[in-house]
Amino acid sequence: MTPPAFFGTDEGVSPDITIPLDNPIQFANVWGTVRLKPGVSDKQAQGEAEVALQHALESMRPGLANYRESDREDISTQRAVLTRGDRGLGYALDSYTASPQTLMLLSGAVLLIACVNIANVLLARFSARTPEIGVRLTLGASRGRLVRQLLTESVLLSGLAAVAGIALAFWMQRALVVLLLDDEARQAIHFTLNAHVLAFSAAAAIVTLLLFGLAPALHATNADVLPLLKSEASGARVSRPVLAKGLIVLQVAASVLLLTGAGLLARSFTKLTAVHPGMPVENMLVMRIGLSPREYQQAYPLLVYQELVERVQRVPGVVSTALGWDFAFGSGGHFRSVWVEGQPPEKGQMAGFNVVGPGFFSTARILLVQGREFSPRDAAGAPKVVIINEAFAKQYFPSQNPLGRHLGAEGEKSTFKYEVIGVAADTRNIFLKNAAGPFFYLPLLQDEWATSLNVVLHVRTRGNPKLMTDPHFPVRDVTTLAERLSLARRPDRMMAILASFFGSLALVLTAILGATPANVLGMIVRETLTLVAAGAIVGLPLAFVCTRVLKSMLFGVEPQDPITALACLGVLLMAGLAAGYLPARRAALLEPVSALRAE
């Protein structure tokens, strides 16, 4: 029995059971894992693996005679590659790292804005204690001792905040995992607040304290600014210190960066929701079914599956049913080599494919723009046929009628030649951001994939009926196409929501501008808008550079989108007006006698 967190050779994949390699189940791909003998270097192992691979390729050469020359060359020129496996390969884990990395960038931007805000608060708080600091300096207290005292007070404040933050992290970590990862990833990848995470958090707290707590302490104990601070503490109308202005500019610049990223992700998700998958997803139930190995050996699978389709078709509320090797709204991960009649074999390329049964297109409601769909007549022994999509027709049959043309897999010598009998409308797979590429459909009744142990049952229903299937048929991945579409959009939706949350938080923190009644008395709207403009001038070019990391996550929007940038600047301008108007109004309402007494 393996530990719960055991992932074998691929981190991010948590196998439920581990079986020996010499079992009856056939494997399409096998990874070789070796442990080097003591004293054997990686270079030596690489050389021995290369020799073994070349011997294996030489033994395969006679079986490659019917392959295209380019395919034979690709296979014969392969080289052995050894990868260190002491920490796992991590192929599955790589697909889940984009969202957490982006979340860390957003969190870092908010942390910077919050730290600048706190630095301004500390600056105002220490400035209010000018008389106390002046008395201590007059009585002979050293500046270093006063700085240590102020930093000690800041340490207590940051310590309490850190404890509260860790408690919140324990409560929120599961929620973030649920939002960012799918069910399979949540089971395979284990997130815990371990010693490494706590050490990183402690280091971040110390660094932010030194960076954003030390500067206000040094400024407050500077003897050269004590007269200015004293007049500010007495209520005189003075402008913000240079340090405070610089911090506000930095804060606004970080806000521009964060708001721009949030705006881009929000606009990207809006455009993604407008993308149609090429078929109606409502009232469409899909599930994987399969025969057990014993049933597979005792019965002809195709007849059993066809009987199941007929039984489900009789269930009340079912409109139509069809089988497919993959989902109608599939993963898009299955490709075959393609050779098109009339083209040199070397021009062959790869195209996606699915193997489907009669009635698939009418059940999935994928439009056939030309020709017909598969029927029960397209069975074993009948002429081989194929249906291509519009993207396939445009690429391989430009300005031609593809009906009646032929395609295969291995050039002129191919034994798998299919006649094109239909052209289907383009559909997208679960990777919605990818435009539809060349794709073709093969008939389940006459293709070798028909003997697969598992197929997908597609059921078009009225409403959402509960289907009862034979208990001898193992059913898994029961879902609807609407749920699959929602799952495909979920990463972008969650990132848009989280980025909008962080952007709103940054906007609130920026609008506060670290202001307190002690230091906003002399602030006016013009000064505030000047600081906002300065921050925008710094932050906008920075945003255009930094948002390039989001390019792979965006859809229909470029990182340097001018509409998003203008919208963010407009929001910040309004926040600056609100931040400057309220304290300026309070200053304007100050009684003249009180102002004169303060002077």
Side-chain angles (χ1 to χ4, degrees):
M1 180 177 295
T2 59
F6 173 77
F7 56 80
T9 58
D10 194 357
E11 186 177 7
V13 176
S14 181
D16 296 323
I17 59 173
T18 304
I19 58 179
L21 188 62
D22 58 351
N23 69 88
I25 299 178
Q26 298 296 317
F27 295 94
N29 296 286
V30 177
W31 291 92
T33 304
V34 299
R35 184 178 294 277
L36 302 183
K37 294 180 179 179
V40 177
S41 65
D42 293 348
K43 185 176 182 180
Q44 289 177 304
Q46 178 75 38
E48 294 182 11
E50 181 65 32
V51 172
L53 175 62
Q54 295 307 317
H55 288 166
L57 292 176
E58 187 65 30
S59 65
M60 294 169 55
R61 196 175 300 278
L64 302 178
N66 292 330
Y67 279 56
R68 294 197 309 263
E69 182 179 349
S70 59
D71 289 340
R72 293 197 302 269
E73 183 178 355
D74 290 341
I75 296 175
S76 62
T77 56
Q78 291 187 33
R79 294 293 179 264
V81 177
L82 295 185
T83 303
R84 296 191 63 88
D86 49 356
R87 299 191 62 183
L89 300 178
Y91 294 131
L93 190 61
D94 291 342
S95 61
Y96 300 111
T97 57
S99 294
Q101 288 176 351
T102 304
L103 182 59
M104 286 189 64
L105 291 176
L106 296 175
S107 303
V110 173
L111 176 62
L112 175 61
I113 295 170
C115 288
V116 172
N117 197 288
I118 292 299
N120 260 327
V121 171
L122 291 177
L123 181 61
R125 181 171 178 270
F126 295 160
S127 299
R129 298 171 59 182
T130 299
E132 173 193 347
I133 295 174
V135 171
R136 289 176 178 269
L137 289 174
T138 303
L139 294 177
S142 65
R143 187 185 182 192
R145 182 174 181 179
L146 291 177
V147 169
R148 288 194 297 271
Q149 177 185 341
L150 296 178
L151 282 180
T152 301
E153 296 174 2
S154 301
V155 167
L156 293 176
L157 178 64
S158 62
L160 293 175
V163 171
I166 292 175
L168 183 62
F170 272 106
W171 179 63
M172 288 292 294
Q173 63 168 334
R174 185 59 185 173
L176 289 176
V177 171
V178 170
L179 289 175
L180 295 176
L181 302 178
D182 56 31
D183 295 338
E184 181 180 358
R186 289 198 295 269
Q187 294 175 4
I189 303 174
H190 300 274
F191 290 88
T192 57
L193 292 179
N194 53 29
H196 298 286
V197 176
L198 295 178
F200 173 81
S201 302
I206 294 173
V207 171
T208 53
L209 172 65
L210 293 176
L211 290 179
F212 297 96
L214 183 59
L218 291 175
H219 181 82
T221 57
N222 187 358
D224 294 335
V225 300
L226 283 179
L228 179 61
L229 295 176
K230 186 178 299 183
S231 63
E232 183 180 349
S234 65
R237 298 173 62 90
V238 295
S239 179
R240 286 176 177 269
V242 176
L243 176 60
K245 292 180 180 179
L247 290 175
I248 290 175
V249 171
L250 177 61
Q251 188 175 13
V252 173
S255 298
V256 171
L257 171 62
L258 191 56
L259 286 173
T260 302
L264 289 173
L265 290 172
R267 289 200 67 204
S268 174
F269 177 68
T270 301
K271 289 183 176 292
L272 188 65
T273 56
V275 173
H276 194 274
M279 69 194 80
V281 298
E282 298 77 16
N283 302 331
M284 184 72 167
L285 188 68
V286 291
M287 65 189 75
R288 284 198 180 275
I289 59 176
L291 300 174
S292 67
R294 179 178 300 178
E295 291 172 321
Y296 178 75
Q297 295 172 359
Q298 295 177 352
Y300 184 54
L302 215 51
L303 295 178
V304 179
Y305 288 142
Q306 193 62 33
E307 179 184 355
L308 174 63
V309 169
E310 295 173 357
R311 290 169 53 187
V312 175
Q313 184 69 54
R314 295 192 294 266
V315 174
V318 172
V319 177
S320 61
T321 59
L323 293 174
W325 182 64
D326 196 6
F327 294 94
F329 184 60
S331 62
H334 308 294
F335 293 87
R336 276 189 180 180
S337 178
V338 173
W339 164 77
V340 177
E341 183 181 43
Q343 293 187 2
E346 295 308 310
K347 288 190 176 180
Q349 298 182 15
M350 304 296 291
F353 75 99
N354 195 1
V355 186
V356 301
F360 173 82
F361 294 92
S362 58
T363 299
R365 296 184 183 173
I366 299 175
L367 178 65
L368 282 175
V369 296
Q370 283 185 270
R372 65 174 179 87
E373 72 169 304
F374 301 131
S375 71
R377 299 192 307 272
D378 300 314
K384 293 182 179 297
V385 293
V386 65
I387 295 175
I388 62 177
N389 71 342
E390 293 178 289
F392 193 107
K394 291 177 182 178
Q395 178 166 335
Y396 293 104
F397 303 105
S399 304
Q400 303 176 42
N401 183 1
L403 297 184
R405 303 294 296 272
H406 295 80
L407 59 91
E410 305 300 342
E412 294 287 353
K413 299 180 180 180
S414 173
T415 58
F416 301 101
K417 291 187 178 180
Y418 305 88
E419 179 183 351
V420 179
I421 63 169
V423 179
D426 290 337
T427 61
R428 300 207 178 203
N429 54 44
I430 201 168
F431 298 100
L432 281 172
K433 296 178 182 178
N434 299 333
F439 198 91
F440 62 93
Y441 302 86
L442 298 175
L444 188 70
L445 300 183
Q446 65 178 205
D447 194 88
E448 67 270 18
W449 291 101
T451 59
S452 175
L453 291 179
N454 295 279
V455 293
V456 177
L457 178 65
H458 299 73
V459 183
R460 179 69 65 177
T461 66
R462 299 184 185 93
N464 188 18
K466 295 182 178 180
L467 301 180
M468 300 297 296
T469 59
D470 194 313
H472 291 92
F473 289 95
V475 178
R476 58 187 177 91
D477 296 341
V478 180
T479 184
T480 64
L481 285 192
E483 291 172 340
R484 288 181 64 84
L485 179 60
S486 177
L487 181 64
R489 292 171 174 167
R490 186 172 68 176
D492 295 87
R493 180 173 60 250
M494 290 302 102
M495 288 307 304
I497 292 174
L498 289 173
S500 299
F501 168 76
F502 283 124
S504 301
L505 182 59
L507 186 62
V508 171
L509 292 174
T510 303
I512 296 174
L513 295 178
T516 64
N519 73 336
V520 299
L521 190 59
M523 186 176 65
I524 58 175
V525 174
R526 185 175 60 185
E527 180 185 0
T528 302
L529 293 183
T530 301
L531 296 177
V532 171
I537 292 173
V538 175
L540 197 57
L542 181 64
F544 281 161
V545 173
C546 294
T547 50
R548 291 179 181 176
V549 301
L550 301 177
K551 186 175 180 62
S552 62
M553 304 180 65
L554 299 178
F555 175 78
V557 180
E558 292 297 324
Q560 295 80 24
D561 181 52
I563 297 178
T564 303
L566 291 175
C568 293
L569 292 179
V571 171
L572 276 174
L573 178 62
M574 290 186 291
L577 285 172
Y581 171 75
L582 295 178
R585 185 171 181 272
R586 288 199 301 269
L589 295 178
L590 182 66
E591 296 182 6
V593 175
S594 300
L596 290 174
R597 185 179 298 115
E599 294 293 341

